[in-house]
Amino acid sequence: KRITALSAFAADKTENRTAIRKVYISEKECVATNGHCMAIMPNDGNEYTDGDYPNGNINTDNFKPVLIEPAELKPAIDYLPKKPTLPILNYIQIGTNGGDKTVINAGLPTVQFPVNNTDESFPNYQHCIPDYTNSKPLKFSVDAKILKNICDLAIKHGNRFTNRIAFEIPTTEEKIKCDKNGAAVYYDAGTPVMETVSIQDFKYAIKFEIKDNDCKEAFTGLIMPLKM
């Protein structure tokens, strides 16, 4: 059912590249992008086999990635029971109906929903994913509810054309310099020698700024690592 939320990241009808108006679905994962933002969802339900789905009558052997429009996914998702009697009924099943026509199975009794097959090519999204392993990236987490509140500020009271939020975080910090044996280094006066180093453990407040339509400051604030 998570694929409904993922579908919101697909491009709308104004996008000329029709392939990214659809959700890319492979055995491993589902992907949606509008060209500016991309969301990837690992497929779950892999503990089930084709035969586990009630009255499946669908072929997923040698499953090839498909592109499916959100509007084609929606009726299948909507048909899933709100309170399923079987865990597998939390999922839809995608495959072919004996030929090369893609279909979606959903619910109990199982209903089969058709999909318009397409020969379009989805962008090579894996090529777009940067590898920051050797770049000493800063990685931090933010409470989604707090982030949503900040986004609401920008949408309701910020620049209605850009909806921008500017975030600011430090990447370096001042620390006492140590010699090769790990001992602190001091000046002759006894004060420690300080050096600027890359942050290894992020424990700082995140600053944010929202500007209005006139590019004037509407809101500024902090997402704090600890409560005040």
Side-chain angles (χ1 to χ4, degrees):
K1 294 181 179 180
R2 291 179 299 148
I3 200 169
T4 301
L6 179 83
S7 298
F9 286 83
D12 61 24
K13 298 295 183 182
T14 62
E15 173 59 57
N16 293 326
R17 294 170 293 172
T18 55
I20 64 173
R21 296 180 192 173
K22 303 176 177 71
V23 178
Y24 173 89
I25 300 173
S26 68
E27 273 192 304
K28 178 185 176 183
E29 58 197 8
C30 300
V31 185
T33 180
N34 61 8
H36 300 284
C37 184
M38 178 171 63
I40 302 172
M41 181 187 79
N43 286 337
D44 49 15
N46 293 326
E47 66 270 25
Y48 300 111
T49 64
D50 292 345
D52 291 332
Y53 212 92
N55 302 317
N57 191 25
I58 197 171
N59 180 21
T60 62
D61 294 337
N62 301 315
F63 181 82
K64 296 180 180 179
V66 294
L67 296 176
I68 302 180
E69 291 191 15
E72 295 174 319
L73 289 165
K74 187 178 187 304
I77 299 296
D78 290 346
Y79 184 73
L80 292 175
K82 304 302 180 188
K83 296 181 179 180
T85 54
L86 298 171
I88 199 171
L89 294 178
N90 283 306
Y91 303 96
I92 57 174
Q93 184 183 38
I94 301 173
T96 58
N97 59 356
D100 58 358
K101 185 67 176 176
T102 304
V103 292
I104 305 171
N105 277 352
L108 182 67
T110 302
V111 171
Q112 200 163 87
F113 297 85
V115 172
N116 290 319
N117 286 49
T118 176
D119 294 329
E120 297 168 297
S121 296
F122 199 75
N124 184 355
Y125 67 93
Q126 293 176 330
H127 182 71
C128 300
I129 301 173
D131 182 3
Y132 294 141
T133 305
N134 298 321
S135 302
K136 297 182 179 179
L138 283 176
K139 189 174 183 178
F140 55 90
S141 61
V142 177
D143 186 319
K145 292 181 179 178
I146 293 175
L147 193 58
K148 181 180 182 301
N149 289 340
I150 297 172
C151 290
D152 286 343
L153 285 178
I155 293 170
K156 294 177 182 177
H157 307 288
N159 189 307
R160 68 177 182 272
F161 302 107
T162 64
N163 293 316
R164 296 287 180 178
I165 306 169
F167 293 97
E168 185 179 348
I169 59 173
T171 57
T172 60
E173 60 187 348
E174 291 286 313
K175 281 192 171 183
I176 296 175
K177 186 175 182 179
C178 295
D179 60 23
K180 61 182 180 181
N181 297 317
V185 178
Y186 292 88
Y187 291 110
D188 292 339
T191 56
V193 176
M194 306 298 292
E195 64 178 348
T196 301
V197 298
S198 298
I199 292 175
Q200 302 296 321
D201 182 22
F202 190 82
K203 52 184 183 296
Y204 298 88
I206 302 168
K207 297 172 67 175
F208 69 87
E209 179 185 57
I210 299 169
K211 292 187 176 181
D212 61 19
N213 292 334
D214 298 319
C215 293
K216 294 181 179 179
E217 188 178 280
F219 294 96
T220 60
L222 300 174
I223 303 174
M224 310 228 223
L226 298 173
K227 290 183 178 179
M228 292 181 67

